[in-house]
Every structure is written in structure tokens, then in C-alpha cells.
Amino acid sequence: MKKALITAGGALAAAGAVRALRRSREGFPQPRSGGRRVLILGGGFGGFYTALRLGERLKSYAGTSVLLVARDNFFTFQPLVPDVISGNTEVRHIAIPLRRHLHRAGVNFLRAEVEGIDLENRIVQTSRGPLEYELLVIALGGQPAYFGVEGAEEHSLRLWDIRDGLRMRNAVIGRFEEAAALRPDDYPPGLLTFAVVGGGYSGVEAAGQIHNLIHKGIRPDYPWVDYGQVRLVLAEGLPEILPEIDPALREVGRRRLTNLGIEVHTGDFVSEVSPEGLSFRSGEFIPARTVLWSAGGRGSEVLESMTAEKDKMNRIVVNERLQLPGHEGVWALGDAASAPGPDGNPVPPTAQGAVQESEVVAHNVYASLTEGEPREFEYRPLGQLIEIGGAFALSEVMGWKLSGTLGHALERAVHLQRLTDRQKRVRVLMDWALDYVFPPDTSDLGL
Amino acid sequence: MKKALITAGGALAAAGAVRALRRSREGFPQPRSGGRRVLILGGGFGGFYTALRLGERLKSYAGTSVLLVARDNFFTFQPLVPDVISGNTEVRHIAIPLRRHLHRAGVNFLRAEVEGIDLENRIVQTSRGPLEYELLVIALGGQPAYFGVEGAEEHSLRLWDIRDGLRMRNAVIGRFEEAAALRPDDYPPGLLTFAVVGGGYSGVEAAGQIHNLIHKGIRPDYPWVDYGQVRLVLAEGLPEILPEIDPALREVGRRRLTNLGIEVHTGDFVSEVSPEGLSFRSGEFIPARTVLWSAGGRGSEVLESMTAEKDKMNRIVVNERLQLPGHEGVWALGDAASAPGPDGNPVPPTAQGAVQESEVVAHNVYASLTEGEPREFEYRPLGQLIEIGGAFALSEVMGWKLSGTLGHALERAVHLQRLTDRQKRVRVLMDWALDYVFPPDTSDLGL
């Protein structure tokens, strides 16, 4: 009880410190309606950040209303989605209420599904009716790409939003519930094999998180399962995982995965996913009852019916000003866009890409309203932060390369600092502090 | 940033204190299989506590295996379910992994749905096949009772488990999303009326939580909704709400509700629920698009096909030993049972009732195995703890009556102390500390 009180003291001290940070939410400007209308589609990194930045710029500028339309009323802090699998970060803590921040910036919000974009007539069709616009920002994001692999969409889980993270988490727990009710000799093939397809940032992090969930959370709670039958596989078709980072760091990452007992399976593409497992082009078959598909994305389905030019991944092709060629007053960014990047390659579809682009889109929309000078976009890769299995990360930031615990500290600090919302930042910090003390939760809430 | 570091310091101090509390999870006994089998059905207060207590008693007693069967792999701390509506307590923090605690007590666990109980042949049918038993404890809980009110089940939400709490929360947020997209004159009737049917403990707490969610969380985030059209109604058919508590305290509760702007509508039973609203026996109609049904419960559906004697609320009638008359070796408790209580009334279907009963059931099962003396159950009401709308509670504990902030402090302390799981206790404490600082979250995660 005394210790509980010390804990209480700590919590209250923390709360007190934060209370000082609190400031009045009164007095932010009422969003303008009427006047010239800027419509922003999508509430991810691209749309949310464009709205915040444009709102700031327009505060002293009357006669324009900005409306952001998104399916969910929250912004998801994507870089921490894999952490949902082990539960070291609580789902709600990486979801940030859009309205809370948009109102302060004087931006309106409408929760609706975007169903079509008619560039000729300047109308967007939504689940709540048509919306006219004068200027349009398309930041509708993407969806998983299955590259025509048979069975991939039907028989695998994905890791696109926070609900997907929970589904994967529950699926893993469910397999151990099944195993716990059987004798080890009776386990069906692949019951305890968990395969992640895709060796990029998300796939590597997801594999590490599944490892954490199993060995820190599930193992103590399901002690009589045969852990000799647990297999974790990370499958990447290219010869190397993590192609975007420095080769030396990549090698450290691969060693880390191997040390955790994760089989890194490279240089062989998956050709089919079935309820029984993964088939590879080489003819190899790995029995696996649980497959997470994390092999990249393509532009959102909604874009398909649009008349604009798109690349082969269904991303809208934009010019250096992030504008749709031939469509004055229409911009696209983030995963929905293919923008010219360094060495003639498109800007990679990452959070940092979208955030950098939002700066230029906000500037150019404002310039268009005020007859100012538009800017050209130049992508500056800021580095990579990749956590692998708790208390270990690869960090490559502005030329610094760190791995292990130090890399992890940097990864956590940067993600926390970028979390946008003060409340959520404190809550995630608490989650991480407690994660250091307690094993992961194993409740399958069915959510 | 400095303040963020202070916060970090607080969190780490708290974490350090808790770390000291951590003890090894190694070395708990492997559950016995084979031998004489005790089967416990249900993982709520009745089943979970019986299992823990029986496990402790049987630790030094070989030749018996105890198996608990439940639909979910977690125990729900029911008294805090209404808090899920405002989000001041995170859903996962009131869900406690059953296996983690059962293993320590040497009790086996199977996640399965109970489909039927055959007392004659001593077999329980489950979604994972039939289970034989020698001794049986039925703690399957209950489900909402609709008393034949037309439309009640179809057109209202319920507050039975944590998922229901989330659904209600999302429904409330959804209404404000709708309102935010309309001009106040265009709101359909009852769009912003939230009605709770049932003036017992849960209903009163739920009404307070809805008030909190709306006025502390939603209001700052949806500032241009017409709050003049918001109505909160608590409907109770009997002349008084909270019939179980002291009349003076009840009056304080009613005043508190009224002060919060919650309309307390008593002495008139609901006769119909439709998508448009509530009809009363008196002929009154209240337009309400969102109705929460919290008017009490009945024994679980599974019990219907059982041959045992049941009361009119489908609860199994048990004797003073909490045993089914005429069925040696079968006990029932909690919401699934009707046990003789004080003044000839049955024991009320509450958490404290179930916990007290579990002590006697565990004793009597053990006595039956060891040919000891069975005990008779005597219900001792320990009081009531009812939070109404944050920082206020009615507390009646062992003759003490408290209301307001003091009552609230007592309510929180008692619930925290009873939370069973150390990790969850710390997390809930953190939730409450942060709730004191930050407004409730308004993200509708769709979960």
C-alpha cells in the first residue's frame, strides 16, 4: 500500500507538471464559412499538416474558408502503429482528435467518406453529399498493395491503421488460446508460425512487436504451450530488408532480428497466400496460419475514377509545385501523390515525406489565394527510426547512425516530440514507462 | 521541453516504485489435469474469484484439477465500465488477463462459449466440445432484461461489458459529428437527446459519464453545435432512483443530477423504444435518437435449457449453501443465481454479492472434496459507491455516508484497491491523474 502511494505521488507530480502546461481552449477563431473555399481531403499526415499550416497562415486573412474532410474524426500517428501489436502503446494514445487541433487553426471539419472527385466541375462527392471547392488538396492516402499475389488480400492481415494493429494482436493471442487447449503433438501445421510479408520499416517493426508480445506477454501467461513450435518469419522478395537505410545499419538490423529468433527470408517473392501458409516463387512453402501483409501501398481506391494522370501504383502525378499538371488550384501530396524526388525517383510514401510536402502545399495554396509566389518542393530525407523488438532501434538521423539502446532512446524521443498533441504525448510517455515495468497485456478485447 | 522532462521524471519515479513491487512470475504450479475435475463456468466476479480462492485452498491438495471456462480471456472489472463512456478510464485497463492470475492459483483455463449444461449426465457442452465434470460451479452471469418492452432491445444500446461502454461513447460522439454538419434549425428531433433507462447504480453513473463526455470532451471540440438542444434524461419507472441506498444520500444524488442538467424522470415506466425516442405508459413521448438501456438483468440465456429450478428472472435458485437443491456437487452464484438473502429477498445481483458468494462456494467445493463441513452463506451489504459526473460520488460504506469530493475520493480508493491486478491498478491510477489535467478524448475509434 505504501508503494502504491509512492506511485500515486509520482503520478500526481507528473499531473501537476502537465497542468502547468495547460492553456485555455477558449478564444480560438470561429471557422469561416462562405467566401472562397479550400477543400482538403484526408486527415493523415498530408491533410492534417496542410490544414494546420494553412490555417495559421490564413488567420489574418478574411474571405476564405478551409474545410477538411476525412473518414475518421482523428489523426493516426502512423509511426507508432506497429507498437499496438505488443500493446506497449495504447491505441487511443496515438489517435489525435482532429477537431481539437483544426478549430484552433480556424479550419472546419466534416466526417465523411470521399466517394469521387470531379475535377472538371470542381465537385467532390462524399457520403454526406457533394461539396464544391475553389481550391483542392488531395491527401487521401493509400491502401495496401497486393501486387496480384493470389490469396494475399483474403488470407492475410494488414497493418494500415490502428484497428489493424489490434486485429493482429488479437489474432496472435487467439493462436495461443488454440494451442493452449491442445497437446503439442496435435497442433495443426503452422499454428504457431507468424509470417510478416515485407521487409521495410513497418514489416521489420511488426516482426519485432510480435516477438515482444509472444515472449514478454504471452509466454508467462500461456506457460504450457510448446514454444519450440513458435516460428517468426520475415519474408522479403528483394535481396535485402530495409533497402532505405545505410548498409552497415541494415546489417545490424538483420543480426538483431536473427538474435531474436526471427527468420529473415530474403530474395524470394511470395507467390500465394492460403489459409495454410505462404508459397514462394522458388517453390518453397512455409506453413503459417497467421500472415501479416506489409509489402507496401498504392494510392487510395477513390483516385481510380479520377481523370488525372497516375503512376502505376495509382498515385497522382504532381509537378515540383505538388500541383496536378493542367489543373490549376489542385494539389496532391502524401501517399496519394507521386512527387518528383531526388535522382528522378518519386518521393517515398512516408510520414516525413508527407509532412515536408504539406509545408509546400500550404505555402502554394496561400500563394494562390494572395497572388504570391509559389514554391518548389525539394525532398530532404531526415533519416530513419526503426524499433526492433523493444529497447533496440536503428536510428539514422541527419548523418548520425545509432543502434541498440541508444538508438532506441533517440527513436522514442523523436517520436514523442513529433506526436503533435500534448495530452497524447504524456500518455504515450506513461505507457512506455509502465512498459518498462510490466509485461504486455494479453487480454483479447475482440476490438 | 523542460516540463516534459519533469513529467518524464514523475513517470519514471512511479515506474521505479512499481518495479520494486514486481515479483517473479516463475515457479507457479503447473495446473493438474486428470484426477477429479472441478469445472467453473464463467470468468466474471463469481467465477474468477471462486477459481482464485479454490486454487489457493487446493494448492497442497493433489488429485484434483480445476478448469475455468469463459467466453473471453479476460476478467472485466465491472464497477468501472460506465467510466469507459467518458474515457476517463481506458478500456484495456479494466480488463484483467484471466490466465495470468489463474495460473498462479494452479487453475486451468479454456476460452470457449458454454452452450448447454446437462446436469443428469454431468456434461457441459461448449464451442470447443463437451466437458465432463465431477463438481460444477455455474457463474455464467446475466444479460440485460427488457421486460417485454417493445423495441427496447433493437433500438437501444446496453451497458453490459466494456465493448458496450465503447459503443455508447462512439454513439454520443457520432451524434455531435452529425450536428456539427447541420445548422441548428435543421437538427432532427432528439438528435442531441441522450436517454438512460434505469435509475440504478449503472444508469446513474452512465448518465453522469455522458454528461462528462459531452461537456468536458465534446464541447470544446465541437464549439459551434447548439448546446441549448442537448438533453440528458434519466428515466426510472419506480418513484425513486437508487432504491438501494440511504434516502438522505439518494436525495443528494438526485440534486447532483439535477445540478448537472440531467432530467430525472421517475414514476413512469417506458412502454416502447423506437428510433425516434421513448414512449412512456403515461402517454408521454420524449424524442431521443440515443437510448441506453440499463434497467437490470436476468440470468444468462444458456441457463434457459437447464433442468434446474429458476426464478422469474431466469436465475438458478440455490439454497443457503449456494447449491442447486437435488443436485449434489453443483453450485451457482453471482448474476446467474438467486440465493436467499436478508429478509427473504434474494441476494442482489452485484459485484459485491458475487464476491461474497465466491468465498462460500470455494469453501463448499473444497469441503466436498475433503469431506469437510460446508458453510452457509450470509449476505452482508458493504455499501454503495456511486460516482456521478466526475469529482463527485455517493459513498455509503460500513455505515459511513459521504458525498461530493470526499465521497469521490473514497469511491476511487476503494475501486482501485479492489482492482485485483497490480499492473492495471497503476494504469488506472495514471488514467485518473491525467483525467484531472486533460479533457476527455473525442476520437471515435470505431471499436
Side-chain angles (χ1 to χ4, degrees), chain A residues 78-156:
Chain A
Q78 207 66 36
L80 293 179
V81 165
D83 295 56
V84 168
I85 296 176
S86 77
N88 79 43
T89 307
E90 182 56 47
V91 159
R92 187 175 303 280
H93 301 167
I94 59 169
I96 295 172
L98 281 169
R99 288 179 181 273
R100 194 161 292 180
H101 294 267
L102 293 177
H103 283 325
R104 286 183 202 153
V107 173
N108 276 306
F109 174 76
L110 176 71
R111 180 164 81 171
E113 191 91 35
V114 173
E115 291 167 349
I117 301 168
D118 179 350
L119 293 175
E120 317 315 316
N121 300 304
R122 304 183 97 75
I123 287 176
V124 172
Q125 298 295 344
T126 79
S127 55
R128 295 191 68 96
L131 296 169
E132 294 183 15
Y133 64 83
E134 183 175 334
L135 303 177
L136 179 68
V137 177
I138 303 172
L140 286 165
Q143 58 191 50
Y146 295 102
F147 305 98
V149 173
E150 206 182 319
E153 188 165 0
E154 301 87 308
H155 303 302
S156 66

Side-chain angles (χ1 to χ4, degrees), chain A residues 25 100 103 220-221 440-441, chain B residues 25 100 103 220-221 424 440-441:
Chain A
R25 263 165 302 96
R100 194 161 292 180
H103 283 325
D221 287 359
D441 177 65
Chain B
R25 264 165 300 97
R100 193 160 292 179
H103 283 325
D221 287 0
K424 303 293 172 151
D441 177 64

Side-chain angles (χ1 to χ4, degrees), chain B residues 358-392:
Chain B
S358 73
E359 185 61 48
V360 170
V361 171
H363 176 96
N364 290 351
V365 172
Y366 184 74
S368 160
L369 288 164
T370 56
E371 288 166 30
E373 266 308 303
R375 267 171 54 189
E376 297 207 340
F377 177 66
E378 204 177 322
Y379 178 60
R380 286 153 298 134
L382 294 178
Q384 300 287 337
L385 299 159
I386 303 160
E387 191 195 86
I388 311 181
F392 185 103

